Amino acid sequence: MMKGKLRHVLTFSGLVIAGQSHAQHEHHHTDALSKMLVTAPLSTPVVDSRLDKDAIKAHQARTSDTASLLNAVAGMSVYQGGGAASLPFLRGFADDRLRIKVDGMDLISACANHMNPPLSYISPTRVSEIRVYSGIAPVSLGGDSIGGTIIANSADPEFADNAEEILQKGELSTYYRSNGDARGGSVSATLASERFSFRYDGAIAKANNYDAGAGFKPAGNTAVDRGALDADEVGSTAYETRNHALNLGFKLTNTQLLQLKFAHQDIPYQGWPNQRMDMVENRSNQLNLIYSGAFDWGLLEANLFHEKTHHKMQFGEDKQFMYGVAAGMPMETEGSNTGLSVKTEIPLNQRDLIRVGGDIQRYRLDDFWEASGGMMMAPNTFWNINNGERDRYGIYTEWEAQWNKKWLTLAGIRHETVNMDADTVQGYNEMMYGADAAVFNASDRNQTDSNFDFTLLARFTPDKTASYEFGYARKTRSPNLYERFAWSQHGMAMRMVNLVGDGNGYVGNTELDPEIAHTFSLTANWHDAAQESWQITFTPYISYVDDFIDAGRCAGAMGMMMGAVCTADNLTRQNDFVYLQYTNVNARLYGADLAGYKHLGHHQDWGRFDVRATLSFVRGENRETNDDLYNMMPLNARVVLAHEKNNWQNSIEWQLVDSKDRVNKERNEIKTSGYGLLHLRTSYRYKQAQFELGVENLFDKDYSHPLSGAYLGQGATMGTSIPWGVTVPGMGRSVYAGVTFSF
C-alpha cells in the first residue's frame, strides 16, 4: 500500500472498504496512464465501499442480480423485485434518489414499474468493480440525486507486454442453485496486441419460481385460466436473461486510452411477485465511447453513450390473462438515452487540486398500451406517456486541499438544469378516460428546474490510529417522468403505475417541485497503526429533505369500474390497497452505520481466521404529518466468520433483521417480522479452476424481507380481488454450486 494514496483499506474476503483518489473512482487503466492514476497527489475525504473483482466472483454462483452484490455494504439493502433486477437501498434513499452509473453511463429505468433499473443492465459476471459513495458524495460524483452514488464498471482492456506478443486469455463459468432450479453460465475471451484489445463477455441465467421456507397461502390454481402453485411456491419469480458485450480498446499513446463498448441485453421474461404485471420482453442496446488521458497538466476523461430500450409487460404464467373478452393487457415502453460527460483533474500544486466537469443527458420515453378488447381497454391505444422528454445539463467545480498531514478539505458546487415535457395523451376510450386526458392535455407540461448542489467535507487525522471525516451536502433531484406525467385516475390504470411494489395505484403531478436534501454526516475510523489487525468505523448521519416526493391519497375524482378510486372512502380505507397522487412533503431521515473487523489469528496448521460485522439503522419521517416514510429498512446486522488456508476459503454468515413495525400509514404499508438467517460458503482453487459450494438460509427459515413489498404474484392482478396483507416471502433453503475455469 502506498501511504497517503489509500487512506484505510480493510479486506473482508474480497470486500474492500477504502478511500482513494477520485482520479481512480470510475476507470482504471494500464501502463503509464494507470501509474499516473494510482499516484495522484491527493486523496479525497470520502469513506466509500468497494467490491473488487475477487469479491464479485465469490458472489456469482449464488446470485443473478447485480444489485444484490451490495448487500454486504453497511447501510445498504435492496428492494426486492425480479430475480435479476432488484433496486439498491442506501441509508433511506433508493431507486432514482441514488446516482447509479454503469461504465460511466447514467442509465434510466424505462418502465412504469421500474423493472429495468440501471444495475440490471449489466450481469454480475461482467462486473469488475463496484464503488459505493454513501451519503455525502462529492459534486463530481453527484447530480440529480439526493442520496449516495453507485458506480459499476466492467473490466478495462488488457494489452500485450510488447509488439511481439499476442495476449490470449478467457474464462468459462457455470452454476446451479437448487431453489428455483436456477442455472446459468458465462464466458469471456480477450485477444490483444500491444496497442489493440478485443474482449467479449456473454452470460445467460434462467430460473423457475422459487420456494419459500414454508407455505404462506393456499395451494391451488393461481387464476381461473392458469395452473396451480404449491402453498410455498412464490408465484411470478421465474426469469431468463441473456447478456452480451464487446469491448474494443485502443492505446493511443502510453498515457491515452480509447474504448468502444457495445452491450446487448435480451430478457424473454422476468416475473414480478410485487407488481400486477410481469416483464415479457426487455431488449436493450448500448454504445459507449470512453476516452481517458493523462497529461503534464492533469487528467482528462470523457464518455459519450447512447442506449435504447424496448420493454414489454403483460400478465405472466401465474397471473390471470383473460378478463372477459380482453386478452391480457399489453404494455410497451420505448426509451432512448443519450449522454455526454467530460471531466478534468488539475493539480495546481502539492496542496491544491481542482476538478471541473460537465454532463449532458437527453432522454425520451414513450409508454403506450395497445387495446386488448372489452369496454375498458378498447378501441384506442392508451398513451400513458407520449414523447416524454427529460433533458439534463450539469456543470461542476471542486477544490481539494491537503493543508498538512492532519487536515484535508473538499469543497464543490454543481448546477444542473432539468427540462421536462410530454405531448398530449389519450385513454382507451373517451367515456372512461376523456375527462382525465383533457385535464392533463390542458396543463402546462413544460417544466424547467434549476438545481444547485454544494458539498463541504473535511478530514482530520490526528495520528496513525484514527481519522475523522465530517461534512455537509445540499443535493437536488428533479422528479422522474412517471412522477410528473402519469395522468389517469381510473383505478385500473393507476394500479399499473407503481414504482415501489406496494400494490397501490398512483397518478402523477405536474406541479411537483425538485427534492432538496440537506445532509450532515460524521465518520469516525479507528484502527491499529498498521491497519491490519482491527478496525471500527462509525457513521451517524441526518438528512432534512425539502419537497420530498411522497404520496398522498387522492379524493374527489372518478369512481369507475374495477374498483372505486379517488373517493371519500379512499381517504379512510385501512387494510386494503389505496390510490395515491405524488406530492411534495418535508421529510427527515437519520441513522447510523457501524462496521468492524478483527483478525483472530493465523495458525500454521489451521490457517487464518477473521471476523467482520456490520450494524445499520435508519429511520424516515414525514415532518408534516409525523407518519413514517415508506419502506425504511429496520435495524439489521451481519456477522461473518471467515477462514482461509492455502487454496481454501470458508465462511459462516449470520444475518439478523429486526421487525418492521414503523410503517407508512398513507400507503397502508404491511409490517414484517424479524428473523435470522445462517449461510455457509466454501470455495477451493485448483490450478486454473475455482469451485464454489454453499447453502443459503441453512435452516429453511420462513421470513419476508422488510423491503419485499406486497405479494401480487398470482391471481387476477388487474382487479381488486388480490388480498391485502401478504408480503413477498424470502427464499427458503438453497444449495448452490459453481465452477470457473480460466485459460
Side-chain angles (χ1 to χ4, degrees):
M1 182 186 301
M2 302 178 61
K3 295 182 179 179
K5 314 307 177 197
L6 298 182
R7 287 183 291 139
H8 27 264
V9 178
L10 178 59
T11 302
F12 290 168
S13 296
L15 174 63
V16 180
I17 296 181
Q20 295 185 332
S21 168
H22 280 183
Q24 306 175 63
H25 69 249
E26 290 186 31
H27 298 288
H28 299 265
H29 305 303
T30 57
D31 301 329
L33 175 60
S34 176
K35 293 176 183 178
M36 178 166 286
L37 294 177
V38 172
T39 59
L42 300 176
S43 59
T44 53
V46 179
V47 173
D48 68 301
S49 301
R50 174 177 176 262
L51 269 71
D52 63 11
K53 185 176 180 180
D54 291 336
I56 294 167
K57 277 189 175 182
H59 289 266
Q60 288 175 356
R62 59 179 184 264
T63 184
S64 302
D65 176 25
T66 297
S68 68
L69 298 172
L70 298 167
N71 271 322
V73 176
M76 175 157 274
S77 300
V78 295
Y79 271 60
Q80 303 299 296
S86 58
L87 296 166
F89 171 97
L90 178 60
R91 294 182 178 176
F93 298 115
D95 200 7
D96 287 346
R97 293 190 172 104
L98 303 175
R99 188 177 189 190
I100 302 175
K101 295 172 72 72
V102 178
D103 275 336
M105 299 181 292
D106 286 297
L107 300 179
I108 297 176
S109 183
C111 174
N113 298 152
H114 274 199
M115 291 182 176
N116 43 24
L119 290 178
S120 70
Y121 284 102
I122 183 170
S123 66
T125 57
R126 187 174 161 233
V127 179
S128 178
E129 176 193 57
I130 302 180
R131 287 182 175 272
V132 179
Y133 294 83
S134 304
I136 300 179
V139 295
S140 57
L141 294 170
D144 201 29
S145 63
I146 59 173
T149 298
I150 300 172
I151 295 172
N153 290 322
S154 59
D156 284 323
E158 299 177 82
F159 300 93
D161 292 332
N162 54 64
E164 287 72 35
E165 290 186 7
I166 296 295
L167 175 65
Q168 302 177 68
K169 61 182 298 186
E171 189 174 272
L172 295 170
S173 67
T174 186
Y175 66 85
Y176 177 79
R177 300 191 288 270
S178 63
N179 199 329
D181 194 29
R183 61 276 191 199
S186 65
V187 58
S188 69
T190 296
L191 181 66
S193 66
E194 185 184 23
R195 292 288 180 181
F196 175 79
S197 176
F198 171 88
R199 177 180 173 120
Y200 166 78
D201 288 275
I204 58 172
K206 189 173 183 178
N208 302 327
N209 289 341
Y210 70 76
D211 294 332
F216 65 99
K217 57 181 172 57
N221 287 358
T222 63
V224 295
D225 55 357
R226 296 300 194 187
L229 296 181
D230 295 335
D232 63 347
E233 184 176 350
V234 183
S236 301
T237 55
Y239 61 87
E240 181 177 355
T241 67
R242 306 164 187 159
N243 289 277
H244 305 274
L246 297 175
N247 186 9
L248 305 179
F250 305 88
K251 194 189 299 183
L252 304 177
T253 69
N254 286 338
T255 60
Q256 297 183 71
L257 178 66
L258 185 67
Q259 297 182 70
L260 180 62
K261 296 188 177 186
F262 173 76
H264 172 74
Q265 181 181 80
D266 176 21
I267 300 179
Y269 63 89
Q270 187 168 189
W272 238 263
N274 59 5
Q275 295 287 0
R276 298 175 184 270
M277 307 294 292
D278 295 311
M279 177 192 293
V280 294
E281 180 183 300
N282 196 87
R283 293 184 178 179
S284 170
N285 291 305
Q286 301 170 3
L287 191 62
N288 189 11
L289 184 64
I290 304 171
Y291 169 82
S292 300
F295 304 91
D296 293 339
W297 53 265
L299 304 176
L300 172 65
E301 188 168 309
N303 270 73
L304 175 64
F305 70 88
H306 178 73
E307 182 263 336
K308 190 170 181 62
T309 296
H310 187 197
H311 172 74
K312 292 184 179 181
M313 291 192 293
Q314 182 56 279
F315 304 114
E317 294 184 355
D318 299 326
K319 294 171 180 172
Q320 184 170 314
F321 186 76
M322 295 298 299
Y323 288 82
V325 298
M329 186 178 181
M331 302 171 67
E332 293 191 41
T333 307
E334 293 182 351
S336 177
N337 185 11
T338 303
L340 170 67
S341 66
V342 179
K343 48 195 169 186
T344 62
E345 183 166 299
I346 307 170
L348 301 180
N349 49 52
Q350 287 299 311
R351 188 191 72 181
D352 302 312
L353 182 71
I354 297 294
R355 298 184 185 90
V356 178
D359 302 295
I360 299 174
Q361 186 174 31
R362 181 182 184 274
Y363 183 65
R364 298 292 181 267
L365 179 74
D366 284 321
D367 190 331
F368 53 96
W369 314 343
E370 293 181 359
S372 60
M375 183 176 66
M376 286 180 300
M377 294 182 288
N380 303 320
T381 294
F382 185 105
W383 279 93
N384 192 33
I385 294 180
N386 183 17
N387 191 30
E389 301 178 4
R390 194 178 194 276
D391 296 334
R392 186 167 64 88
Y393 310 91
I395 188 170
Y396 64 84
T397 184
E398 198 167 75
W399 171 43
E400 182 180 299
Q402 180 80 59
W403 299 95
N404 51 48
K405 292 183 179 180
K406 293 185 177 182
W407 283 99
L408 185 149
T409 61
L410 182 83
I413 183 171
R414 183 184 189 104
H415 177 265
E416 291 205 341
T417 298
V418 180
N419 180 260
M420 298 173 64
D421 201 354
D423 290 346
T424 57
V425 297
Q426 67 176 25
Y428 286 116
N429 54 67
E430 182 69 19
M431 180 184 70
M432 290 187 173
Y433 306 94
D436 284 347
V439 172
F440 178 82
N441 292 338
S443 67
D444 182 8
R445 300 180 301 280
N446 192 327
Q447 306 281 336
T448 299
D449 302 326
S450 184
N451 302 333
F452 284 92
D453 290 359
F454 307 97
T455 297
L456 296 171
L457 294 169
R459 184 182 74 208
F460 175 58
T461 308
D463 53 44
K464 294 182 179 180
T465 63
S467 66
Y468 304 91
E469 299 179 358
F470 48 92
Y472 159 78
R474 180 193 194 271
K475 306 185 70 177
T476 313
R477 178 189 80 97
S478 289
N480 63 42
L481 289 173
Y482 290 101
E483 290 167 332
R484 265 193 173 149
F485 295 144
W487 58 273
S488 177
Q489 295 190 66
H490 188 283
M492 180 270 292
M494 290 181 71
R495 289 191 291 272
M496 301 299 122
V497 178
N498 188 304
L499 308 181
V500 293
D502 62 1
N504 297 316
Y506 289 82
V507 65
N509 184 350
T510 58
E511 301 301 318
L512 285 177
D513 292 322
E515 300 176 319
I516 302 175
H518 303 271
T519 298
F520 302 86
S521 178
L522 166 68
T523 295
N525 190 302
W526 302 284
H527 47 78
D528 64 292
Q531 303 183 35
E532 295 178 351
S533 179
W534 64 274
Q535 183 179 30
I536 296 175
T537 302
F538 177 61
T539 305
Y541 56 88
I542 187 168
S543 294
Y544 293 91
V545 186
D546 299 328
D547 294 318
F548 183 86
I549 299 176
D550 205 338
R553 299 192 191 184
C554 56
M558 306 173 64
M560 305 296 284
M561 297 177 62
M562 299 297 291
V565 187
C566 296
T567 62
D569 173 70
N570 183 57
L571 294 177
T572 59
R573 191 177 300 165
Q574 297 182 6
N575 300 332
D576 198 359
F577 298 113
V578 293
Y579 300 94
L580 307 112
Q581 182 175 36
Y582 292 111
T583 186
N584 291 119
V585 303
N586 293 324
R588 176 175 55 241
L589 298 93
Y590 60 93
D593 296 328
L594 179 67
Y597 162 80
K598 182 69 175 73
H599 173 53
L600 300 178
H602 193 169
H603 190 275
Q604 182 177 357
D605 296 327
W606 296 99
R608 177 189 175 99
F609 292 88
D610 301 275
V611 65
R612 66 184 187 269
T614 61
L615 178 69
S616 297
F617 160 81
V618 65
R619 182 169 295 171
E621 300 171 342
N622 184 323
R623 291 155 55 196
E624 299 174 4
T625 65
N626 294 321
D627 195 5
D628 294 291
L629 296 182
Y630 175 73
N631 235 15
M632 291 290 108
M633 186 69 183
L635 183 69
N636 62 96
R638 288 177 185 264
V639 180
V640 179
L641 176 64
H643 166 254
E644 182 178 346
K645 179 176 173 57
N646 298 329
N647 293 332
W648 282 102
Q649 289 186 332
N650 311 288
S651 68
I652 301 174
E653 178 179 324
W654 191 20
Q655 179 184 354
L656 298 169
V657 179
D658 197 7
S659 59
K660 184 177 71 173
D661 49 18
R662 292 181 175 271
V663 293
N664 183 255
K665 299 180 181 62
E666 198 77 354
R667 287 177 167 90
N668 284 342
E669 184 179 0
I670 307 168
K671 297 181 178 181
T672 59
S673 301
Y675 59 89
L677 305 177
L678 192 66
H679 315 297
L680 304 180
R681 304 177 181 120
T682 185
S683 68
Y684 179 74
R685 176 171 290 277
Y686 178 73
K687 295 183 178 179
Q688 294 171 290
Q690 181 163 330
F691 303 91
E692 306 281 342
L693 182 66
V695 184
E696 302 287 284
N697 192 0
L698 177 65
F699 297 113
D700 204 23
K701 178 71 175 180
D702 177 29
Y703 73 99
S704 287
H705 192 281
L707 308 183
S708 62
Y711 181 62
L712 305 168
Q714 61 187 81
T717 57
M718 181 190 293
T720 58
S721 61
I722 295 293
W724 176 91
V726 181
T727 52
V728 178
M731 184 178 292
R733 183 189 300 115
S734 183
V735 180
Y736 71 86
V739 60
T740 300
F741 179 75
S742 302
F743 58 89

